[in-house]
Amino acid sequence: MMTKRKQFVTIALALVLGAAGIVAAEQPQVDPAADMLIKRMGAVLGAADGFTVTNTFTSDEVVTTGEIVQLEGRVEIALRRPNGLRAAISGDYGSKQYFYDGEKMTFADSARKTWASAAIPGTIDDAMETMWQDFGIKIPLVDFIVSDPYTTLIANVESGFYAGLHQVNGEPCHHLVFTQEEIDWQIWISDGALPLPQKLVITYKLEDGYPQYTALFSDWDLGPGLNDAVFGFAPPEGSIKIVFAESGE
């Protein structure tokens, strides 16, 4: 899930040449109902002082012979604004963890017994931006972690519509569908007082076989009362410190 296509990619808005010979930005065509629902969801997540959530996913990987192989994994997020984050990944992609405490971001790979750390004072948003710009790393579920999920999610959307009220694990959810240049994505948001994401599907339409990433969210808790120890990292005995590669290396 750490590959480039496993994230919501940053895509420049397409520009078109108008009849008058000037270049103008193409406006996204998004159903107002879909826009309103994604905005409500983003507002709830962004306003939360903290939360914990579990994300169980399957990811299609295209192997060198052209077949698609499906892998599974699990991400557990613990977040406390403005500067506490822990993301634990397990499954077919190995056992990895990210820790952020307002001063540094640390990555640990349990299988390889390695870890790396970078000084990034500030907020969770600062850490997410620095990890991407300096090291080319996007933290799992980054679009739901940042302080303004709506703006991040909708930024590169070209079109979107409301598909109806559909079920996710027996729960009625608002089903939204969005199109971008390189991906299509769908999200199911809980119907009710707390519009939280319950399912996400991303289709990589420029790749052979249209591989997909499918994630189910569970165990949402918007008042977990997390303490500092959750976000601290102590190197396991026998582990080796490495360094983050600069972006582009």
Side-chain angles (χ1 to χ4, degrees):
M1 194 176 63
M2 300 304 105
T3 60
K4 182 180 179 181
R5 73 169 179 79
K6 292 301 175 227
Q7 312 294 338
F8 291 109
V9 294
T10 302
I11 306 169
L13 288 174
L15 297 180
V16 295
L17 185 62
I22 58 175
V23 176
E26 182 178 338
Q27 296 299 312
Q29 302 297 313
V30 179
D31 180 347
D35 185 73
M36 180 270 292
L37 286 162
I38 203 85
K39 186 176 290 184
R40 284 182 58 210
M41 182 201 73
V44 168
L45 292 177
D49 291 334
F51 60 75
T52 57
V53 65
T54 297
N55 180 279
T56 304
F57 66 88
T58 59
S59 180
D60 295 338
E61 298 291 341
V62 181
V63 297
T64 55
T65 53
E67 290 87 2
I68 291 179
V69 175
Q70 189 173 87
L71 302 178
E72 294 187 354
R74 178 185 177 96
V75 180
E76 296 178 87
I77 297 289
L79 178 145
R80 186 186 67 188
R81 301 196 191 281
N83 54 15
L85 174 67
R86 179 173 180 171
I89 308 157
S90 59
D92 292 333
Y93 290 90
S95 179
K96 304 174 177 66
Q97 292 182 310
Y98 291 90
F99 301 83
Y100 183 63
D101 61 4
E103 296 294 333
K104 61 184 180 299
M105 174 68 76
T106 302
F107 167 76
D109 188 323
S110 300
R112 292 181 172 86
K113 296 184 178 180
T114 56
W115 61 281
S117 188
I120 311 176
T123 66
I124 293 170
D125 283 15
D126 296 328
M128 301 300 99
E129 180 69 14
T130 300
M131 290 297 288
W132 174 242
Q133 295 296 333
D134 291 0
F135 308 116
I137 296 173
K138 282 195 174 182
I139 308 303
L141 305 180
V142 62
D143 301 295
F144 302 94
I145 288 169
V146 293
S147 60
D148 187 0
Y150 168 76
T151 297
T152 302
L153 288 165
I154 211 73
N156 302 306
V157 164
E158 296 174 348
S159 63
F161 66 91
Y162 179 70
L165 199 63
H166 296 154
Q167 300 280 318
V168 177
N169 290 331
E171 178 182 351
C173 294
H174 298 288
H175 183 185
L176 316 179
V177 181
F178 296 96
T179 297
Q180 295 183 200
E181 183 179 347
E182 296 184 1
I183 64 172
D184 292 337
W185 56 282
Q186 304 173 62
I187 189 167
W188 288 255
I189 300 172
S190 299
D191 180 30
L194 279 180
L196 298 173
Q198 298 298 326
K199 183 178 178 180
L200 174 70
V201 174
I202 305 172
T203 302
Y204 301 94
K205 59 189 180 183
L206 300 187
E207 298 192 26
D208 292 341
Y210 300 98
Q212 289 188 325
Y213 168 84
T214 301
L216 290 172
F217 297 81
S218 63
D219 303 322
W220 279 104
D221 185 350
L222 271 59
L226 302 169
N227 58 43
D228 292 344
V230 174
F231 313 109
F233 172 76
E237 185 176 351
S239 62
I240 301 170
K241 185 177 182 181
I242 59 175
V243 296
F244 289 115
E246 295 291 334
S247 183
E249 290 185 3

